[in-house]
Amino acid sequence: MEKIRIRGNPNLQLKGEVRISGAKNAVLPAIAASLLTADKIKLKNIPLVKDVTTILTVMRELGSKYFIRKNTLTIQTKRILSHEASYELVRAMRASILVLGPLLARHGKAVVALPGGCAIGSRPIDLHIHSLEKMGASITLEHGYIKAQADQLIGTEIDFEKKTVGGTENLLMAASLAKGRTVLKNCALEPEVVNLCELLEKMGAKIEGAGTDTIVVNGVKELGGTTHTIIPDRIEAGTFLVAGALTKGDITLTHTMPQHLDTVIEKLQTSGASIERVKNNTIRVKGTSEIRPQDITTSPYPGFPTDMQAQFMLFMTQASGTSIITETIFDRRFSHINELSRLGANIEVYGDKAIVKGKTLLSGAEILATDLRASASLVLAGLIASGETLINGVEHLARGYERIEEKLKNLGAHIERIET
Ligand code: EPZ
């Protein structure tokens, strides 16, 4: 069983430079989008994380051929050999649902396992399904699988009843090859959605309004190959900004896009950290001795990202005062609280709110990570807890962070992966 062992130090100061990897949540839809053409797609700056391996396993089952050289993926699906994404792969990564739209658009058929719930909530996909039905797909749910058929998707107007990143991405890919014009309203504004639009446009899609609430897609008959660069991972960058602020350290982050982190940077600055934009893709964070408490409410981009909630909550356990953290996106994204409490944090939950009372000195313990971002929060906690922290469930970490132990070690942390 793999675990992460951290020798914590309440006076740790992380210092140095860290290169931020490509965004997991941008590369997954980009890989799915490669299904839309028989030509070669080259994706640069991909993160070598477990979720990429998982979706590439799905793609291989569908008929894709690919190779990775350094951090560049070249992938091509000359023919769709199968249109089924199996349960064991979808269960491993719910983002596999992103093959639904492209498969329907390219191949007219798709059988994708229904992703179950996960540690951060029920996570339905009703908005994906109803929207594709509006485009003419006939979809049934049988034995835990989504069975979808569409000889030709037809452009129409779709107004998402709530902002959905995956739903927007699935429909963008489906609409790119549909007949006629599709108007998508109440779209997600996340940078990863914009990065997908850029890729689709390079492939020949006709898209207007990327990055706004309303995106218009004029379907085309065929899409072609291209080369595209995946944007930096704003959540990895946010995690390292918190690490620097938390440890009163001095960390320079390179290969970032600071403009994707405005709300996180603003909250860190009001908590007392100093964050300087060194040049267009480099930011420097310096922590302070006095951390001021902050209330945060997660919301769709450009609001405070839900994927930064767990990391920021840990940060607030070291603030001098009370912080209220409200999670509005997912219905159960507080699994890290029990584990942080085992380290000595003082956090009470009232519905979608967590009341964090700081400053609490943390002491190391054996703990369990349950989802990707919770595990990042627990790692940060272990860094500043006195004594040793052993983290179980580390497979979650590898899903979305490329070589995080190595990156933290280079900044002065005593962290290692052990086999027990
Ligand atoms: C994406 O998930 C990200 N994953 C998540 O990051 C991120 O937390 C989330 O967007 C933020 O909104 C990837 O991009 C691979 P949603 P996604 O559809 O697309 C509800 C991480 O740690 N909803 O935007 O699955 C849903 O339950 C992961 O990197 C419906 O009700 O999220 C949630 O409450 C975690 N019906 C809200 O909308 C639907 O059909 C936002 O979900 C779809 C979504």
Side-chain angles (χ1 to χ4, degrees), residues 24-25 28 94-95 120 123-128 162-167 169 190 306-307 329-330 333 372-373:
K24 163 181 86 80
N25 292 349
L28 296 176
R94 5 168 340 91
I120 63 176
R123 301 185 73 183
I125 52 160
D126 54 317
L127 302 178
H128 299 238
K162 64 180 355 181
K163 286 195 182 297
T164 160
V165 171
E169 291 167 344
E190 271 71 0
T306 173
D307 292 349
I329 305 290
F330 291 110
R333 198 170 200 171
L372 169 58
R373 306 305 173 183

Side-chain angles (χ1 to χ4, degrees), residues 296-299 305-307 309-310 325-334 352-354:
I296 60 160
T297 298
T298 64
S299 62
T306 173
D307 292 349
Q309 180 256 105
I325 295 183
T326 307
E327 172 58 60
T328 70
I329 305 290
F330 291 110
D331 54 3
R332 281 197 316 274
R333 198 170 200 171
F334 281 159
D352 63 356
K353 288 181 183 355

Side-chain angles (χ1 to χ4, degrees), residues 34-83:
S34 69
L35 282 170
L36 292 165
T37 176
D39 293 351
K40 226 176 250 176
I41 296 285
K42 191 175 270 195
L43 299 175
K44 294 180 171 177
N45 193 39
I46 72 161
L48 301 176
V49 294
K50 197 150 160 262
D51 274 7
V52 168
T53 311
T54 303
I55 197 166
L56 286 175
T57 308
V58 174
M59 298 293 286
R60 191 170 49 235
E61 280 192 358
L62 301 177
S64 306
K65 300 260 185 296
Y66 64 84
F67 63 89
I68 296 177
R69 192 154 292 128
K70 291 212 175 94
N71 285 73
T72 295
L73 165 72
T74 303
I75 186 165
Q76 182 171 20
T77 314
K78 284 182 178 165
R79 273 180 309 287
I80 305 278
L81 301 181
S82 157
H83 57 268

Side-chain angles (χ1 to χ4, degrees), residues 94 98 124-128 131 159-171 185-190 193 300 329:
R94 5 168 340 91
L98 291 172
I125 52 160
D126 54 317
L127 302 178
H128 299 238
S131 306
D159 193 346
F160 291 109
E161 62 187 75
K162 64 180 355 181
K163 286 195 182 297
T164 160
V165 171
T168 304
E169 291 167 344
N170 242 333
L171 271 291
K185 292 188 170 180
N186 195 22
C187 292
L189 308 176
E190 271 71 0
V193 174
I329 305 290

